[in-house]
Amino acid sequence: MATITVPDCVPSVQEDVEQLHKAFSGWGTNEDLIINILSHRNAAQRNAIRQAYAETHGEDLLKALDKELTSDFERAILLWTLESSERDAYLANESTKRWTSSNQVLMEIACTRSPKDLVLVREAYHARYKKSLEEDVAYHTKGDCRKLLVPLVTAYRYPGDEANLVLAKTEAKLIHEKIHDKAFSDDDIIRIISTRSKAQINATLNQYKNLFENDVEKDLEAECENDFVALLTSTIQCLAYPEKYFEKVLRDSINKRGTEEWDLTRVVTTRAEVDLKIIKDEYQRRNSVPLDRAIVKDTGGDYEKMLLALMGHEEA
Amino acid sequence: MATITVPDCVPSVQEDVEQLHKAFSGWGTNEDLIINILSHRNAAQRNAIRQAYAETHGEDLLKALDKELTSDFERAILLWTLESSERDAYLANESTKRWTSSNQVLMEIACTRSPKDLVLVREAYHARYKKSLEEDVAYHTKGDCRKLLVPLVTAYRYPGDEANLVLAKTEAKLIHEKIHDKAFSDDDIIRIISTRSKAQINATLNQYKNLFENDVEKDLEAECENDFVALLTSTIQCLAYPEKYFEKVLRDSINKRGTEEWDLTRVVTTRAEVDLKIIKDEYQRRNSVPLDRAIVKDTGGDYEKMLLALMGHEEA
């Protein structure tokens, strides 16, 4: 459920490279041209452009863009142009260096990428930072958040659809018991959330609802002034209903006084080729306003144009 | 530093398959023939044989072997014939079902395989058991051992040679402090041991020795009646001096009243194509007896022949 549109007749890679080069040359920069090209190419096409650009002009396209562009627009173009595992490695690395709010980003990457893609992110992290992702996560976090985040970023979950319902019932009861005792960071809660397959976790959440007539998240939300519990709650949401998780990130980022551009940029650039269509629908349902309109209201200029293009609007 | 020998002139895969099939046919089994073929083929050759056998005879070679062979000899042939990531997945799965002594096997697989190979083991685990390795490890262990084993089996360490000596000094001091306080399962010890690259851990162990005039393992050994400390100590040894770790496993397995065949079989079959040569040298140095002679003294029959063949002895 991607939102981006690729023209039926895509120019050759070399043509795109020359157009981009022209957009940087001379006095001023042709931002519209940059947007029109890059936002309407899929991942494989963007990679081919980046490679051909380096071969033809002896400079990484990202370096060239970095020289020409600024602030939120630059960040959107940068994240969009990076190859997806490299982009996630970049976002994760950045998050290990900021404070607690960025735990959310690490969790988001760990829980919404496929198991195989998460391994590719870890590989890209090695290549780019000469360290392992878990090494940095473990080093820069502590306490309960570390206890949850390290197994999340190192998980290689079973991707199959099978679920063991007896096990789901047992573990639903176990989770309920721990929440009742306010033992939120109990070893077993962490174990279940960080190692079980998504299908199994889903079955467990359903059993929880059947048995205790409430969602786990609701039972946890009563405690949400606690940072760790807030992280745990969004982890569960991310695993079970990613579109609801992303809708909330967008809603929070747009409704804040000013706009949390980093969150907005991240969600749009990382999901545009995956499930942004579903997230948009969820946004409309929850806010009674189309996401594009909310974005137009809160952003402007080339940044706005870029986001709208990624959301499927035609040429700027 | 492998020990196995492959003939200069290897018969065709189809020829090997027919010979093996003949070895199973008729009254009795020709064990010598099975040993002579399988023990003198490398991993790629054995995989090709297994595949061709299934295509030609409509039966997995391992099934056929299973019907014909028994006990320790069978186990040696089985482990040797399995593709290496499948073999490790099999050993790991078996270990999650046994009691604490098998934590050692999980740790050994996690710490002596390359980061990429460990990911392949986790992939093979998915395929074979429809679950993730960490899921089973976390479910079947608890307390401090779980706290160490889960990050070990999920690690994807940075494989480079670079080491940060300032960091090594800081972390050596940190480890020393925790050991002094008898906080062996402290979060930071686990973090360092389970996430740092082997090169970095090595630098930290060296700094420890420089600063405190003793090996970490020696400082820990004073506490080795504690199961967790014993596991932690062998983890460190496995990461820094795998040949010493394996020598000790062999020594313990051979010196026990009777012989711990499972350990012996595992080390010989999993290391014969990797570093058994170095382990043999270490064994000779530590015990003043060649490993082959020790094995001959303690084992017999086809099992003995198979182990010796894997250690480089010519045709039985």
mmCIF file of all heavy atoms in Angstrom, chain B residues 234-262:
data_model
loop_
_atom_site.group_PDB
_atom_site.id
_atom_site.type_symbol
_atom_site.label_atom_id
_atom_site.label_comp_id
_atom_site.label_asym_id
_atom_site.label_seq_id
_atom_site.Cartn_x
_atom_site.Cartn_y
_atom_site.Cartn_z
ATOM 1 N N SER B 234 33.313 -19.215 30.732
ATOM 2 C CA SER B 234 33.570 -19.887 29.448
ATOM 3 C C SER B 234 33.143 -19.030 28.267
ATOM 4 O O SER B 234 33.706 -19.140 27.185
ATOM 5 C CB SER B 234 32.979 -21.297 29.374
ATOM 6 O OG SER B 234 31.831 -21.431 30.106
ATOM 7 N N THR B 235 32.192 -18.138 28.476
ATOM 8 C CA THR B 235 31.828 -17.210 27.393
ATOM 9 C C THR B 235 33.040 -16.351 27.029
ATOM 10 O O THR B 235 33.381 -16.191 25.848
ATOM 11 C CB THR B 235 30.671 -16.280 27.837
ATOM 12 O OG1 THR B 235 29.568 -17.069 28.244
ATOM 13 C CG2 THR B 235 30.256 -15.355 26.701
ATOM 14 N N ILE B 236 33.687 -15.821 28.044
ATOM 15 C CA ILE B 236 34.848 -14.963 27.798
ATOM 16 C C ILE B 236 35.947 -15.760 27.095
ATOM 17 O O ILE B 236 36.562 -15.300 26.128
ATOM 18 C CB ILE B 236 35.345 -14.357 29.130
ATOM 19 C CG1 ILE B 236 34.287 -13.377 29.667
ATOM 20 C CG2 ILE B 236 36.689 -13.668 28.956
ATOM 21 C CD1 ILE B 236 34.562 -12.869 31.061
ATOM 22 N N GLN B 237 36.154 -16.983 27.562
ATOM 23 C CA GLN B 237 37.180 -17.815 26.947
ATOM 24 C C GLN B 237 36.833 -18.135 25.486
ATOM 25 O O GLN B 237 37.683 -18.076 24.598
ATOM 26 C CB GLN B 237 37.319 -19.097 27.750
ATOM 27 C CG GLN B 237 38.661 -19.752 27.503
ATOM 28 C CD GLN B 237 38.894 -20.915 28.417
ATOM 29 O OE1 GLN B 237 37.981 -21.675 28.729
ATOM 30 N NE2 GLN B 237 40.136 -21.091 28.854
ATOM 31 N N CYS B 238 35.563 -18.446 25.262
ATOM 32 C CA CYS B 238 35.104 -18.774 23.909
ATOM 33 C C CYS B 238 35.327 -17.614 22.950
ATOM 34 O O CYS B 238 35.675 -17.804 21.786
ATOM 35 C CB CYS B 238 33.614 -19.059 23.982
ATOM 36 S SG CYS B 238 33.151 -20.608 23.290
ATOM 37 N N LEU B 239 35.098 -16.401 23.428
ATOM 38 C CA LEU B 239 35.247 -15.221 22.578
ATOM 39 C C LEU B 239 36.707 -14.888 22.317
ATOM 40 O O LEU B 239 37.085 -14.503 21.215
ATOM 41 C CB LEU B 239 34.568 -14.011 23.238
ATOM 42 C CG LEU B 239 33.032 -14.073 23.294
ATOM 43 C CD1 LEU B 239 32.496 -12.994 24.227
ATOM 44 C CD2 LEU B 239 32.444 -13.920 21.900
ATOM 45 N N ALA B 240 37.536 -15.070 23.345
ATOM 46 C CA ALA B 240 38.918 -14.607 23.219
ATOM 47 C C ALA B 240 39.880 -15.708 22.786
ATOM 48 O O ALA B 240 40.797 -15.463 22.003
ATOM 49 C CB ALA B 240 39.371 -13.991 24.539
ATOM 50 N N TYR B 241 39.714 -16.914 23.320
ATOM 51 C CA TYR B 241 40.628 -18.023 22.984
ATOM 52 C C TYR B 241 39.814 -19.276 22.713
ATOM 53 O O TYR B 241 39.849 -20.213 23.527
ATOM 54 C CB TYR B 241 41.582 -18.307 24.140
ATOM 55 C CG TYR B 241 42.098 -17.086 24.837
ATOM 56 C CD1 TYR B 241 41.539 -16.681 26.050
ATOM 57 C CD2 TYR B 241 43.153 -16.345 24.297
ATOM 58 C CE1 TYR B 241 42.004 -15.546 26.697
ATOM 59 C CE2 TYR B 241 43.623 -15.214 24.940
ATOM 60 C CZ TYR B 241 43.051 -14.817 26.135
ATOM 61 O OH TYR B 241 43.509 -13.702 26.777
ATOM 62 N N PRO B 242 39.112 -19.322 21.597
ATOM 63 C CA PRO B 242 38.238 -20.482 21.345
ATOM 64 C C PRO B 242 38.982 -21.810 21.407
ATOM 65 O O PRO B 242 38.437 -22.800 21.876
ATOM 66 C CB PRO B 242 37.675 -20.205 19.946
ATOM 67 C CG PRO B 242 38.486 -19.098 19.369
ATOM 68 C CD PRO B 242 39.047 -18.329 20.510
ATOM 69 N N GLU B 243 40.265 -21.856 20.964
ATOM 70 C CA GLU B 243 40.962 -23.148 20.975
ATOM 71 C C GLU B 243 41.166 -23.645 22.404
ATOM 72 O O GLU B 243 41.115 -24.836 22.672
ATOM 73 C CB GLU B 243 42.282 -23.080 20.196
ATOM 74 C CG GLU B 243 43.411 -22.295 20.831
ATOM 75 C CD GLU B 243 43.253 -20.771 20.709
ATOM 76 O OE1 GLU B 243 42.194 -20.320 20.225
ATOM 77 O OE2 GLU B 243 44.183 -20.049 21.116
ATOM 78 N N LYS B 244 41.349 -22.708 23.344
ATOM 79 C CA LYS B 244 41.484 -23.127 24.748
ATOM 80 C C LYS B 244 40.153 -23.616 25.292
ATOM 81 O O LYS B 244 40.088 -24.577 26.054
ATOM 82 C CB LYS B 244 41.983 -21.962 25.609
ATOM 83 C CG LYS B 244 43.424 -21.617 25.315
ATOM 84 C CD LYS B 244 44.018 -20.706 26.362
ATOM 85 C CE LYS B 244 45.459 -20.410 25.952
ATOM 86 N NZ LYS B 244 46.130 -19.470 26.819
ATOM 87 N N TYR B 245 39.113 -22.926 24.912
ATOM 88 C CA TYR B 245 37.783 -23.367 25.332
ATOM 89 C C TYR B 245 37.502 -24.787 24.833
ATOM 90 O O TYR B 245 37.104 -25.668 25.599
ATOM 91 C CB TYR B 245 36.706 -22.398 24.815
ATOM 92 C CG TYR B 245 35.325 -22.985 24.883
ATOM 93 C CD1 TYR B 245 34.588 -22.959 26.069
ATOM 94 C CD2 TYR B 245 34.767 -23.617 23.778
ATOM 95 C CE1 TYR B 245 33.331 -23.533 26.137
ATOM 96 C CE2 TYR B 245 33.514 -24.203 23.835
ATOM 97 C CZ TYR B 245 32.797 -24.162 25.014
ATOM 98 O OH TYR B 245 31.552 -24.760 25.090
ATOM 99 N N PHE B 246 37.754 -25.013 23.543
ATOM 100 C CA PHE B 246 37.454 -26.334 22.978
ATOM 101 C C PHE B 246 38.367 -27.415 23.552
ATOM 102 O O PHE B 246 37.949 -28.550 23.757
ATOM 103 C CB PHE B 246 37.552 -26.303 21.447
ATOM 104 C CG PHE B 246 36.375 -25.655 20.783
ATOM 105 C CD1 PHE B 246 36.530 -24.522 19.995
ATOM 106 C CD2 PHE B 246 35.099 -26.178 20.944
ATOM 107 C CE1 PHE B 246 35.434 -23.921 19.386
ATOM 108 C CE2 PHE B 246 33.992 -25.584 20.330
ATOM 109 C CZ PHE B 246 34.167 -24.449 19.558
ATOM 110 N N GLU B 247 39.619 -27.064 23.797
ATOM 111 C CA GLU B 247 40.539 -28.031 24.404
ATOM 112 C C GLU B 247 39.965 -28.490 25.736
ATOM 113 O O GLU B 247 39.960 -29.675 26.062
ATOM 114 C CB GLU B 247 41.925 -27.382 24.582
ATOM 115 C CG GLU B 247 42.995 -28.301 25.146
ATOM 116 C CD GLU B 247 42.908 -28.517 26.647
ATOM 117 O OE1 GLU B 247 42.592 -27.549 27.375
ATOM 118 O OE2 GLU B 247 43.132 -29.666 27.092
ATOM 119 N N LYS B 248 39.444 -27.542 26.519
ATOM 120 C CA LYS B 248 38.909 -27.892 27.829
ATOM 121 C C LYS B 248 37.661 -28.776 27.705
ATOM 122 O O LYS B 248 37.490 -29.727 28.474
ATOM 123 C CB LYS B 248 38.590 -26.623 28.626
ATOM 124 C CG LYS B 248 38.096 -26.919 30.025
ATOM 125 C CD LYS B 248 38.347 -25.785 30.992
ATOM 126 C CE LYS B 248 38.102 -26.192 32.434
ATOM 127 N NZ LYS B 248 36.901 -26.975 32.683
ATOM 128 N N VAL B 249 36.812 -28.469 26.738
ATOM 129 C CA VAL B 249 35.622 -29.311 26.546
ATOM 130 C C VAL B 249 36.061 -30.737 26.217
ATOM 131 O O VAL B 249 35.545 -31.711 26.768
ATOM 132 C CB VAL B 249 34.716 -28.769 25.414
ATOM 133 C CG1 VAL B 249 33.556 -29.719 25.150
ATOM 134 C CG2 VAL B 249 34.188 -27.387 25.765
ATOM 135 N N LEU B 250 37.065 -30.872 25.337
ATOM 136 C CA LEU B 250 37.559 -32.204 24.971
ATOM 137 C C LEU B 250 38.182 -32.889 26.180
ATOM 138 O O LEU B 250 37.916 -34.060 26.458
ATOM 139 C CB LEU B 250 38.596 -32.097 23.845
ATOM 140 C CG LEU B 250 38.044 -31.716 22.475
ATOM 141 C CD1 LEU B 250 39.186 -31.522 21.480
ATOM 142 C CD2 LEU B 250 37.080 -32.796 21.957
ATOM 143 N N ARG B 251 39.003 -32.163 26.902
ATOM 144 C CA ARG B 251 39.670 -32.744 28.073
ATOM 145 C C ARG B 251 38.632 -33.251 29.065
ATOM 146 O O ARG B 251 38.700 -34.386 29.532
ATOM 147 C CB ARG B 251 40.571 -31.680 28.720
ATOM 148 C CG ARG B 251 41.246 -32.119 30.013
ATOM 149 C CD ARG B 251 42.513 -31.308 30.310
ATOM 150 N NE ARG B 251 42.422 -29.914 29.895
ATOM 151 C CZ ARG B 251 42.150 -28.879 30.720
ATOM 152 N NH1 ARG B 251 41.948 -29.098 32.016
ATOM 153 N NH2 ARG B 251 42.108 -27.652 30.255
ATOM 154 N N ASP B 252 37.642 -32.396 29.378
ATOM 155 C CA ASP B 252 36.604 -32.809 30.330
ATOM 156 C C ASP B 252 35.833 -34.014 29.806
ATOM 157 O O ASP B 252 35.490 -34.914 30.564
ATOM 158 C CB ASP B 252 35.617 -31.667 30.574
ATOM 159 C CG ASP B 252 36.245 -30.558 31.417
ATOM 160 O OD1 ASP B 252 37.365 -30.780 31.945
ATOM 161 O OD2 ASP B 252 35.637 -29.480 31.528
ATOM 162 N N SER B 253 35.563 -34.024 28.504
ATOM 163 C CA SER B 253 34.730 -35.105 27.978
ATOM 164 C C SER B 253 35.498 -36.423 27.967
ATOM 165 O O SER B 253 34.936 -37.482 28.206
ATOM 166 C CB SER B 253 34.226 -34.765 26.581
ATOM 167 O OG SER B 253 35.248 -34.938 25.635
ATOM 168 N N ILE B 254 36.791 -36.371 27.719
ATOM 169 C CA ILE B 254 37.582 -37.602 27.663
ATOM 170 C C ILE B 254 37.952 -38.106 29.058
ATOM 171 O O ILE B 254 37.965 -39.303 29.318
ATOM 172 C CB ILE B 254 38.846 -37.378 26.793
ATOM 173 C CG1 ILE B 254 38.426 -37.196 25.329
ATOM 174 C CG2 ILE B 254 39.831 -38.548 26.931
ATOM 175 C CD1 ILE B 254 39.544 -36.828 24.387
ATOM 176 N N ASN B 255 38.199 -37.177 29.961
ATOM 177 C CA ASN B 255 38.630 -37.597 31.291
ATOM 178 C C ASN B 255 37.523 -38.096 32.193
ATOM 179 O O ASN B 255 37.773 -38.731 33.208
ATOM 180 C CB ASN B 255 39.364 -36.451 32.001
ATOM 181 C CG ASN B 255 40.718 -36.213 31.366
ATOM 182 O OD1 ASN B 255 41.176 -37.038 30.569
ATOM 183 N ND2 ASN B 255 41.346 -35.105 31.699
ATOM 184 N N LYS B 256 36.282 -37.748 31.821
ATOM 185 C CA LYS B 256 35.186 -38.221 32.667
ATOM 186 C C LYS B 256 35.169 -39.734 32.706
ATOM 187 O O LYS B 256 35.553 -40.400 31.755
ATOM 188 C CB LYS B 256 33.858 -37.715 32.121
ATOM 189 C CG LYS B 256 33.555 -36.355 32.681
ATOM 190 C CD LYS B 256 32.107 -36.012 32.638
ATOM 191 C CE LYS B 256 31.980 -34.567 33.122
ATOM 192 N NZ LYS B 256 31.259 -33.748 32.185
ATOM 193 N N ARG B 257 34.714 -40.282 33.831
ATOM 194 C CA ARG B 257 34.528 -41.718 33.886
ATOM 195 C C ARG B 257 33.591 -42.057 32.730
ATOM 196 O O ARG B 257 32.544 -41.419 32.571
ATOM 197 C CB ARG B 257 33.862 -42.082 35.215
ATOM 198 C CG ARG B 257 33.910 -43.579 35.486
ATOM 199 C CD ARG B 257 33.110 -43.870 36.706
ATOM 200 N NE ARG B 257 33.567 -43.010 37.817
ATOM 201 C CZ ARG B 257 33.747 -43.460 39.058
ATOM 202 N NH1 ARG B 257 33.533 -44.719 39.340
ATOM 203 N NH2 ARG B 257 34.127 -42.635 40.021
ATOM 204 N N GLY B 258 33.956 -43.009 31.907
ATOM 205 C CA GLY B 258 33.269 -43.142 30.627
ATOM 206 C C GLY B 258 33.713 -41.925 29.854
ATOM 207 O O GLY B 258 34.608 -41.200 30.269
ATOM 208 N N THR B 259 33.082 -41.666 28.758
ATOM 209 C CA THR B 259 33.467 -40.482 27.994
ATOM 210 C C THR B 259 32.185 -39.728 27.683
ATOM 211 O O THR B 259 31.159 -40.343 27.400
ATOM 212 C CB THR B 259 34.172 -40.926 26.698
ATOM 213 O OG1 THR B 259 35.349 -41.634 27.043
ATOM 214 C CG2 THR B 259 34.537 -39.743 25.828
ATOM 215 N N GLU B 260 32.211 -38.401 27.775
ATOM 216 C CA GLU B 260 31.037 -37.612 27.418
ATOM 217 C C GLU B 260 30.976 -37.539 25.896
ATOM 218 O O GLU B 260 31.438 -36.577 25.288
ATOM 219 C CB GLU B 260 31.150 -36.217 28.021
ATOM 220 C CG GLU B 260 30.418 -36.048 29.312
ATOM 221 C CD GLU B 260 28.899 -36.259 29.175
ATOM 222 O OE1 GLU B 260 28.361 -36.082 28.058
ATOM 223 O OE2 GLU B 260 28.280 -36.615 30.180
ATOM 224 N N GLU B 261 30.416 -38.586 25.295
ATOM 225 C CA GLU B 261 30.468 -38.666 23.837
ATOM 226 C C GLU B 261 29.809 -37.492 23.127
ATOM 227 O O GLU B 261 30.254 -37.091 22.058
ATOM 228 C CB GLU B 261 29.870 -39.983 23.327
ATOM 229 C CG GLU B 261 30.764 -41.190 23.514
ATOM 230 C CD GLU B 261 30.610 -41.788 24.908
ATOM 231 O OE1 GLU B 261 29.773 -41.268 25.675
ATOM 232 O OE2 GLU B 261 31.324 -42.755 25.232
ATOM 233 N N TRP B 262 28.724 -36.967 23.708
ATOM 234 C CA TRP B 262 28.049 -35.872 23.013
ATOM 235 C C TRP B 262 28.972 -34.683 22.813
ATOM 236 O O TRP B 262 29.000 -34.073 21.754
ATOM 237 C CB TRP B 262 26.772 -35.457 23.757
ATOM 238 C CG TRP B 262 25.613 -36.331 23.383
ATOM 239 C CD1 TRP B 262 25.671 -37.666 23.122
ATOM 240 C CD2 TRP B 262 24.267 -35.925 23.177
ATOM 241 N NE1 TRP B 262 24.429 -38.125 22.781
ATOM 242 C CE2 TRP B 262 23.538 -37.075 22.817
ATOM 243 C CE3 TRP B 262 23.594 -34.705 23.275
ATOM 244 C CZ2 TRP B 262 22.173 -37.041 22.546
ATOM 245 C CZ3 TRP B 262 22.229 -34.671 23.014
ATOM 246 C CH2 TRP B 262 21.524 -35.833 22.643
#
